[in-house]
Amino acid sequence: LTLCKLIETVCFQKKGRGECGQMGETDILKKWINESNYIVFFGGAGVSTESNIPDLEARTADHQEYDYPPETILSHSFYMRKPEEFYRFYRNKMLFPNAKPNRAHLALAKLEQEGKLKAVITQNNRRAAPAAGSKEVLELHGSDSATIVRAAAGLRMDDIL
């Protein structure tokens, strides 16, 4: 079971019994959620890939069209030295303006609305969790909708695309 399928199953009341009537993993998770009132979800690419956003490794595996490795291009010092090349990579490999929330995002938003989920912490810089209705979203690596880089350059998302 993928993380998205597990969350979806639990939050949208699907059956999840193991063999011989034993508690399956979905039943255990459902029990934990029902007994909890202070849940924090920590996620990453496992949720985003369900929205057809490839993980960073998949997006940057073929970076031969660039003269530098992704970890160099995504650094602040590279941005300061070569902003055009930074934005070319950022536009082609990092932005997914048409990505939509999936059922896991919706389930997490539902848990937040019920008062059980207190925050979503994500390693991704995507807008899917807020689009699903989550209010408390902490993006560990920044956000493609409010980056310091864009603010410093005075650019909007449309300028980059």
Side-chain angles (χ1 to χ4, degrees):
L1 257 152
T2 66
L3 177 61
C4 279
K5 296 294 182 203
L6 185 59
I7 293 168
E8 174 186 342
T9 299
V10 168
C11 294
F12 292 108
Q13 308 301 319
K14 295 182 181 177
K15 296 287 183 196
R17 289 263 172 227
E19 293 181 24
C20 303
Q22 296 175 349
M23 287 184 74
E25 57 190 3
T26 56
D27 292 311
I28 292 169
L29 183 57
K30 186 180 290 188
K31 181 178 184 300
W32 290 345
I33 290 172
N34 288 336
E35 293 173 352
S36 301
N37 289 313
Y38 203 99
I39 300 168
V40 175
F41 178 81
F42 187 95
V47 175
S48 295
T49 55
E50 297 284 331
S51 291
N52 295 318
I53 299 172
D55 63 36
L56 183 61
E57 290 78 19
R59 283 182 274 150
T60 59
D62 180 23
H63 61 272
Q64 295 177 358
E65 65 188 277
Y66 302 94
D67 294 332
Y68 305 91
E71 58 274 10
T72 299
I73 295 172
L74 292 172
S75 70
H76 182 265
S77 58
F78 187 88
Y79 163 74
M80 296 304 289
R81 286 191 327 275
K82 298 182 175 288
E84 298 84 13
E85 187 71 0
F86 171 89
Y87 279 116
R88 183 169 74 96
F89 181 88
Y90 194 73
R91 179 178 42 255
N92 295 336
K93 301 287 187 174
M94 302 302 291
L95 297 179
F96 295 88
N98 298 321
K100 303 283 185 241
N102 60 51
R103 296 209 19 117
H105 294 115
L106 297 171
L108 292 167
K110 178 182 176 207
L111 288 173
E112 184 178 349
Q113 290 165 0
E114 292 171 357
K116 291 188 158 293
L117 182 74
K118 303 305 177 193
V120 172
I121 302 173
T122 179
Q123 296 181 74
N124 291 335
N125 54 353
R126 308 291 167 253
R127 293 170 280 170
S134 291
K135 305 285 186 241
E136 284 298 318
V137 180
L138 306 169
E139 296 171 313
L140 293 183
H141 301 302
S143 167
D144 61 13
S145 61
T147 61
I148 294 170
V149 171
R150 282 200 350 241
L155 299 174
R156 296 169 302 136
M157 177 71 81
D158 291 342
D159 296 329
I160 296 170
L161 294 173

